[in-house]
Amino acid sequence: MSVRHSGNGHPDSSRDSIEINLDEIISSVGDRPDSLMPLLHAVQDRLGYVPPDAVPSIARALNLSRAEVHGVISFYHDFRTEPPGHSIVRVCRAESCQAMGAVELAAHIQKRLGIEFGQTSADGGYTLEPVYCLGNCACSPAIVVGDDLHGRVTSERFDEIISAISPRGREAR
Ligand code: FES
């Protein structure tokens, strides 16, 4: 049983035609109904999101209804149902960071990337997501760009980070 997705819809996507083998994932996480969360995380780890058309296969494999699988995906905001952008920017919106300028920083980031939280830029370059504590409160405000955690981020520092990660970053204004 496999799930194929067709990339993030952008012609230059390097993620086109990624195929995952659900049987392989199930062999590692199990096929009981309580395997749903680890299975969904494994799918998202591989594809960047959980394709809606994978729901019937997942439900069948774990002996759940489609509604049960869909309900879990929609309840937990960690799960995406659409392909993310090339770089995922996560901005901490929890208390410590809020107290140290995260509100202003978030406004700057949204303006700089031209998107709001939960959105992906039109060119597929960035997805902006909120998080609620990154465990880096001593260095608030904190963000994660890709796999990299950054602390004490100012608007200027954010611009430097974005400009450094890819040519797309330099284009984002
Ligand atoms: S509150 Fe932002 S890292 Fe903890």
Side-chain angles (χ1 to χ4, degrees):
M1 177 185 349
S2 65
V3 173
R4 176 181 289 274
H5 88 136
S6 55
N8 62 12
H10 300 283
D12 60 347
S13 171
S14 60
R15 299 179 185 180
D16 281 348
S17 298
I18 293 174
E19 190 168 358
I20 59 165
N21 187 326
L22 278 184
D23 293 328
E24 178 191 323
I25 294 175
I26 288 167
S27 72
S28 65
V29 302
D31 61 359
R32 295 165 21 146
D34 62 4
S35 301
L36 179 58
M37 287 293 282
L39 189 153
L40 293 174
H41 280 294
V43 170
Q44 181 155 295
D45 284 349
R46 296 193 190 190
L47 297 181
Y49 74 118
V50 181
D53 59 6
V55 169
S57 299
I58 293 171
R60 201 163 41 246
L62 302 187
N63 199 24
L64 294 167
S65 70
R66 294 182 188 189
E68 287 171 312
V69 176
H70 176 73
V72 169
I73 293 170
S74 55
F75 181 79
Y76 291 99
H77 294 172
D78 280 352
F79 294 121
R80 298 181 206 99
T81 55
E82 294 179 355
H86 184 267
S87 297
I88 299 173
V89 178
R90 297 183 174 94
V91 180
C92 180
R93 311 200 76 188
E95 198 170 318
S96 174
C97 286
Q98 295 265 356
M100 295 299 289
V103 175
E104 296 78 10
L105 177 63
H108 172 78
I109 290 173
Q110 289 176 96
K111 186 175 177 193
R112 168 74 195 243
L113 300 183
I115 51 178
E116 298 183 0
F117 285 101
Q119 294 183 336
T120 296
S121 58
D123 68 352
Y126 303 97
T127 291
L128 181 60
E129 296 181 343
V131 291
Y132 295 91
C133 196
L134 291 162
N136 197 38
C137 313
C139 297
S140 297
I143 68 171
V144 171
V145 179
D147 295 326
D148 298 326
L149 174 66
H150 302 272
R152 297 196 177 95
V153 180
T154 61
S155 296
E156 295 72 26
R157 178 70 188 124
F158 176 78
D159 291 346
E160 291 171 5
I161 293 166
I162 284 299
S163 294
I165 59 173
S166 74
R168 282 184 167 155
R170 286 186 281 278
E171 291 163 8
R173 295 290 172 196

